[in-house]
Amino acid sequence: MRTFLSRTAFTLGLISLVFLTPSSLFSQNSESKSRSLLEELKVFYSGIKHETNKSGKVDGKGRPKQEDLIKKALKVRDYFRGLDEKEVIPKLKESIQRTPFRSIFDRFPFLYRFLKEEFRHETALPQLFGLVKKRGYFVLYGIFFLFTVLLGYYLKKKAEEEEAGIAAWFRRAILLFLMRFCAFVFLFGRELFPTLQVLFKVL
């Protein structure tokens, strides 16, 4: 259960970070906060790597089988749906406090509420782990993301040449975000839609 919680937390973390650009993490206006967040993420990643190395069944290429992940997702869902609603968050805290992700959850307590709703949702968790079968789509999205980075660089240079102000920067940021968001939803919307519903519910 603890390993699965770790994988789940990592997967949800990737979703929340996928639309961030490097400049948002390394902004001079929030340098101290960024350093603190990066330190947390390094611990987060190290813990994930450690937990993944302890995982069970793998396929011929050394990766966890999709069927096994889906089965574990269903077991976790059924377990938490079988608990009284008041018992869920204490159980989550008990599990998370023994993992390397304790500091992340202590820093952002709403994550407990999110996992509570995610784990008790009928389809959110199984569909989220259905992303495993879309590895090729992630490669495709990575190529598209690189294209948007190059496009952003081109638009930035053009704006500098035209001496455009803050409005041009704002339009560029919105355009790139929408492109990335729409592409991500197009490729992975079916698997992510229940989880996004849960996210909007707890925010």
Side-chain angles (χ1 to χ4, degrees), residues 53-192:
N53 289 338
K54 298 186 333 187
S55 61
K57 296 180 181 179
V58 296
D59 62 17
K61 297 181 180 180
R63 296 179 300 221
K65 290 183 178 180
Q66 178 196 345
E67 295 80 6
D68 294 334
L69 290 176
I70 298 298
K71 287 179 181 178
K72 288 181 179 179
L74 292 172
K75 286 181 179 179
V76 170
R77 181 201 64 184
D78 293 342
Y79 171 77
F80 282 102
R81 285 169 69 91
L83 292 176
D84 185 271
E85 190 170 353
K86 294 180 180 179
E87 297 180 285
V88 176
I89 289 183
K91 289 286 185 182
L92 287 172
K93 287 184 176 180
E94 181 182 341
S95 298
I96 296 297
Q97 291 298 314
R98 295 195 298 266
T99 72
F101 318 121
R102 179 180 64 252
S103 58
I104 292 284
F105 280 79
D106 289 344
R107 188 174 178 182
F108 304 104
F110 88 94
L111 290 174
Y112 287 113
R113 300 196 307 273
F114 174 70
L115 288 186
K116 170 189 171 183
E117 298 296 333
E118 178 79 0
F119 287 173
R120 287 170 63 87
H121 194 280
E122 185 174 356
T123 61
L125 200 60
Q127 286 191 211
L128 182 64
F129 279 86
L131 290 171
V132 174
K133 66 182 179 183
K134 287 194 166 184
R135 294 188 182 95
Y137 284 52
F138 280 102
V139 174
L140 182 62
Y141 181 79
I143 295 172
F144 178 78
F145 190 91
L146 178 60
F147 166 75
T148 63
V149 171
L150 296 175
L151 176 62
Y153 179 78
Y154 167 76
L155 294 175
K156 179 181 178 182
K157 285 295 184 182
K158 186 176 180 181
E160 290 174 352
E161 291 173 0
E162 297 176 355
E163 297 183 353
I166 188 70
W169 176 88
F170 188 74
R171 287 195 300 268
R172 183 174 73 249
I174 293 295
L175 173 64
L176 295 177
F177 174 81
L178 287 177
M179 289 178 66
R180 292 165 183 169
F181 179 78
C182 291
F184 200 80
V185 169
F186 177 76
L187 294 173
F188 311 110
R190 180 178 178 276
E191 290 78 13
L192 291 176

Side-chain angles (χ1 to χ4, degrees), residues 9-20:
F10 180 61
T11 302
L12 300 176
L14 283 179
I15 292 171
S16 65
L17 290 173
V18 74
F19 301 116
L20 291 177

Side-chain angles (χ1 to χ4, degrees), residues 6-69:
S6 302
R7 286 185 184 172
T8 302
F10 180 61
T11 302
L12 300 176
L14 283 179
I15 292 171
S16 65
L17 290 173
V18 74
F19 301 116
L20 291 177
T21 60
S23 59
S24 65
L25 285 178
F26 298 100
S27 169
Q28 292 181 354
N29 296 330
S30 58
E31 186 177 351
S32 60
K33 290 183 180 179
S34 296
R35 276 201 302 267
S36 177
L37 179 58
L38 286 174
E39 289 171 1
E40 295 283 6
L41 290 175
K42 285 179 182 178
V43 174
F44 195 64
Y45 175 75
S46 298
I48 282 292
K49 192 172 181 181
H50 174 71
E51 294 291 343
T52 302
N53 289 338
K54 298 186 333 187
S55 61
K57 296 180 181 179
V58 296
D59 62 17
K61 297 181 180 180
R63 296 179 300 221
K65 290 183 178 180
Q66 178 196 345
E67 295 80 6
D68 294 334
L69 290 176

